[in-house]
Amino acid sequence: SIPDWRLGGLLAHPKYKRVLVKLSGEALMGDQGFGISPDMIKYVADEIRSIYDLGIQVAIVVGGGNIFRGIAASSYGMDRTAADHMGMLATVINSVALQDALEKKGIQTRVQSAISMHEVAEPYILRRAVRHLEKGRVVIFAAGTGNPYFTTDTAAALRAIEISADVIIKGTRVNGVYDSDPEKNPRARMYDEM
Ligand code: UDP
C-alpha cells in the first residue's frame, strides 16, 4: 500500500527556501520487504516534485537499509568497515534509482557521492552542490558521509548544515519521534503525546 504523507502540505510555508529530505532506504521498498518498489519510487518522486514545484530548493540524502545495513552484516561476523562500505554502495544504488525516477518527472538532478565513482556520480563538492540547487537542480547526496561507523541520518544532518538548509524532513517507516521503536514496542509513545 502507498502511504499518504504529503510533503507539499508540510512545506508550504514560505520560510523554507532550501530543504534537505532524508529518505530511509526502507521508504523506497514498499511492501516487498527488500530492494526498490517501482510504485513506491514513483510515489516518492511525485512527492519530491510537489515541493520542487513550490520553488523550494531540494537536496536529498537516501539511506540503504532496503538493500544492505553494515551493522547487521558485522553482527554475522563480517568486518565492519567492509560491511559499511557495502552499505554505502547500497545508498548509491538507491540514489541512482531516485535520480532516474525524478528525471522521468521532468526534474533535473545531480547525484554527488561521498565515495569517488566518477562514471556514476559527481564527487561531493559543497560549492558545486549549492550551485546546482541555485540553478533548480535536485541534488542527491549518495554514499552517506563516506566513512564507516556512521549512518545516513548523520550524513543528512551534516549535509543540511553544510548547504545551510532551513529544515530537514525525514521520510521513514514511522510517523514521528518515539521513546522506543514503535515497530517493536506496542507501548511506544510519540513525543507529541507526552
Ligand atoms: N553507512 C556508512 N556510513 C555513512 C552512511 C551509511 O557506513 O556515512 C552504511 C552503514 O553500513 C549503513 C548503510 O550504509 O548501515 C545504510 O545506511 P543507513 O542504515 O543509514 O540507511 P537507512 O536506515 O536510512 O535506510
Side-chain angles (χ1 to χ4, degrees), residues 32-186:
Q32 59 192 36
F34 179 81
I36 300 167
S37 147
D39 288 341
M40 199 55 209
I41 199 157
K42 282 185 203 146
Y43 173 83
V44 168
D46 274 333
E47 287 303 304
I48 300 293
R49 168 121 216 186
S50 75
I51 52 172
Y52 176 85
D53 286 346
L54 295 170
I56 294 169
Q57 297 177 10
V58 184
I60 306 173
V61 169
V62 202
N66 56 324
I67 299 170
F68 199 86
R69 235 185 253 287
I71 199 156
S74 72
S75 72
Y76 297 116
M78 191 173 189
D79 175 76
R80 176 71 191 264
T81 303
D84 280 343
H85 282 157
M86 291 177 69
M88 287 188 273
L89 294 177
T91 73
V92 180
I93 293 175
N94 286 334
S95 298
V96 173
L98 191 58
Q99 173 171 50
D100 176 76
L102 286 169
E103 300 223 327
K104 297 260 159 58
K105 305 278 175 199
I107 299 177
Q108 277 202 26
T109 64
R110 295 289 187 272
V111 177
Q112 289 203 342
S113 175
I115 294 176
S116 305
M117 46 177 90
H118 298 292
E119 287 76 9
V120 177
E122 292 181 4
Y124 171 63
I125 299 172
L126 170 61
R127 284 182 175 74
R128 203 159 160 186
V130 168
R131 189 81 188 111
H132 289 321
L133 292 170
E134 288 168 352
K135 285 189 167 179
R137 297 173 186 140
V138 169
V139 180
I140 304 167
F141 295 120
T145 64
N147 301 296
Y149 296 94
F150 287 92
T151 68
T152 51
D153 279 2
T154 309
L158 174 65
R159 296 291 182 246
I161 294 170
E162 287 183 287
I163 65 168
S164 306
D166 299 308
V167 66
I168 303 179
I169 301 289
K170 192 173 172 194
T172 186
R173 282 159 64 88
V174 296
N175 61 348
V177 179
Y178 287 83
D179 61 350
S180 60
D181 184 345
E183 295 196 342
K184 293 187 187 136
N185 176 8

Side-chain angles (χ1 to χ4, degrees), residues 10 174-180 188-194:
L10 275 173
V174 296
N175 61 348
V177 179
Y178 287 83
D179 61 350
S180 60
R189 288 200 305 160
M190 206 195 287
Y191 276 103
D192 274 1
E193 295 166 359
M194 291 175 166

Side-chain angles (χ1 to χ4, degrees), residues 9-24:
L10 275 173
L11 292 173
H13 199 288
K15 79 178 175 193
Y16 298 133
K17 292 196 170 56
R18 182 175 292 166
V19 307
L20 189 134
V21 178
K22 162 71 210 295
L23 294 168
S24 73

